[in-house]
Amino acid sequence: MLRFLFLLFFVFSCAATNAQEKYPFKSLRIIVPFAPGGSTDIFARLVAERLAAAFAQPVVVENRAGASGNIGAEAVAKSPPDGYTLLMATTGVMAINNALFKNMAYDAAKDLEPVIFIASITNVLAVPLDLPAKTVAELVALAKRDPGKLTFASSGAGSSTHLSAELFKSMAGIDVVHIPFKGSGQALIDVVAGRVSMIFDNMPSALPHIKGGKLRALGVTGSKRSGALPDVPTIAEAGVAGYESLSWSGFAVPAGTPRDIVQRLNRETAMILLAPDMRQKLAEQGADAIGGPPEAFAEHVRREREKWGRLVREREIVVN
């Protein structure tokens, strides 16, 4: 009997070890918590294609838009912690929403585990061609002449594009009305049409409209000019001293995901980000490939949570 029990234990131990070694043995899914067409979606699909090749398994990108990313993020937070469901984690869902929304169904700090920092993205301030403002200074003057008349679009209440504009409003001393959308794609349509006065959008989704002559770029939100738009000044250069706001994205998984799986996902994604063609594709979109260990991404998320949480409190930003 003892020999039989030992043999049974040995078989099950080998089976568990083999299952672990074979990860992943089925398809993975990356949940993008926004509509198709925005930078988060673009980056997820770029990485998914290469991750599928590295794992020899399908990697499906699934868009679950709504509630400023909370619907998609909650779905991942409540998924089994087995490494098969990843979140394309953004500034909003990881660092802003817990400060902005009441009665959250998940806590990003407790329920989601950072895996890898994928990209840092410069936002761009863009306006319709018929708006009578060709510089940041002219836009600020226009807003001050008629407070509350101008509007700004965002990819959703609480998104990094929303908070970029709130920071701009605070530092420039202007009153501009927020018009939230369910993603950058929808927001850009109304800005191009002139139904909304401006947008602070991620560079990848706004760039085709700017280069296509449908929108006018007034400034970028980083501390340095973007290689994608080298002639466009930073907003700090253009007159709002000290202004800086970057969007970012990375992978996160449900808390409790085995450490070796987190490390495997990190390692494979890091190799993808080191590839020259991938770095070039991200640069063309106005983004920088980052990479690094899970701990570095977790520390970045912590700092960003403090920064944006403070802005939400100071500006008393309320989301209906």
Side-chain angles (χ1 to χ4, degrees):
M1 177 62 72
L2 288 174
R3 290 178 65 185
F4 173 76
L5 290 175
F6 176 79
L7 180 62
L8 195 63
F9 173 77
F10 178 76
V11 168
F12 278 112
S13 295
C14 288
T17 300
N18 287 338
Q20 191 174 49
E21 287 176 351
K22 288 180 180 178
Y23 171 85
F25 59 83
K26 61 180 182 178
S27 64
L28 291 80
R29 62 174 179 160
I30 300 171
I31 291 184
V32 174
F34 301 102
S39 64
T40 310
D41 182 65
I42 293 170
F43 296 162
R45 294 178 190 280
L46 283 172
V47 176
E49 179 183 358
R50 292 158 177 78
L51 202 58
F55 280 152
Q57 293 289 348
V59 178
V60 179
V61 175
E62 180 181 329
N63 295 90
R64 287 204 188 183
S68 299
N70 286 336
I71 291 175
E74 180 187 350
V76 176
K78 294 183 177 180
S79 294
D82 56 9
Y84 289 96
T85 302
L86 286 67
L87 175 68
M88 197 63 179
T90 64
T91 318
V93 297
M94 296 297 283
I96 296 173
N97 290 0
N98 270 97
L100 197 63
F101 294 90
K102 294 181 180 179
N103 304 315
M104 289 278 287
Y106 74 98
D107 184 340
K110 296 178 181 178
D111 301 330
L112 293 167
E113 183 172 349
V115 173
I116 189 166
F117 193 163
I118 291 176
S120 178
I121 315 153
T122 295
N123 290 336
V124 57
L125 168 57
V127 299
L129 298 182
D130 60 358
L131 191 80
K134 292 182 171 58
T135 65
V136 170
E138 289 178 1
L139 180 65
V140 170
L142 189 64
K144 287 185 174 180
R145 279 200 300 271
D146 203 345
K149 182 179 179 180
L150 296 184
T151 55
F152 75 90
S154 79
S155 58
S159 64
S160 66
T161 58
H162 174 199
L163 272 291
S164 287
E166 292 290 351
L167 184 62
F168 179 74
K169 286 169 57 179
S170 174
M171 296 181 72
I174 57 175
D175 179 16
V176 184
V177 178
H178 180 211
I179 310 293
F181 290 81
K182 291 184 178 180
S184 290
Q186 296 176 21
L188 285 162
I189 290 171
D190 275 22
V191 180
V192 168
R195 291 187 286 269
V196 185
S197 309
M198 69 188 81
I199 187 170
F200 281 79
D201 195 34
N202 297 159
M203 184 72 78
S205 45
L207 197 58
H209 299 281
I210 295 166
K211 291 197 169 182
K214 297 178 180 179
L215 286 176
R216 179 186 302 121
L218 301 187
V220 295
T221 64
S223 60
K224 60 182 181 180
R225 295 194 182 199
S226 169
L229 293 173
D231 295 329
V232 177
T234 67
I235 290 175
E237 274 185 272
V240 185
Y243 181 92
E244 182 182 12
S245 174
L246 296 173
S247 294
W248 45 264
S249 60
F251 281 151
V253 291
T257 299
R259 187 65 183 170
D260 59 331
I261 291 178
V262 171
Q263 293 287 4
R264 176 82 189 278
L265 287 165
N266 176 278
R267 184 168 63 253
E268 297 293 350
T269 307
M271 291 176 66
I272 290 169
L273 295 175
L274 286 172
D277 67 321
M278 185 64 178
R279 300 182 77 85
Q280 179 61 32
K281 284 183 180 294
L282 290 175
E284 289 170 357
Q285 298 289 334
D288 294 321
I290 305 297
E295 295 78 12
F297 188 32
E299 176 59 20
H300 172 76
V301 170
R302 186 194 64 77
R303 291 195 304 267
E304 287 285 277
R305 192 175 290 132
E306 289 181 358
K307 172 184 176 177
W308 294 114
R310 185 166 57 249
L311 178 69
V312 168
R313 292 189 297 271
E314 291 175 353
R315 296 286 294 171
E316 298 181 346
I317 300 170
V318 177
V319 175
N320 296 324

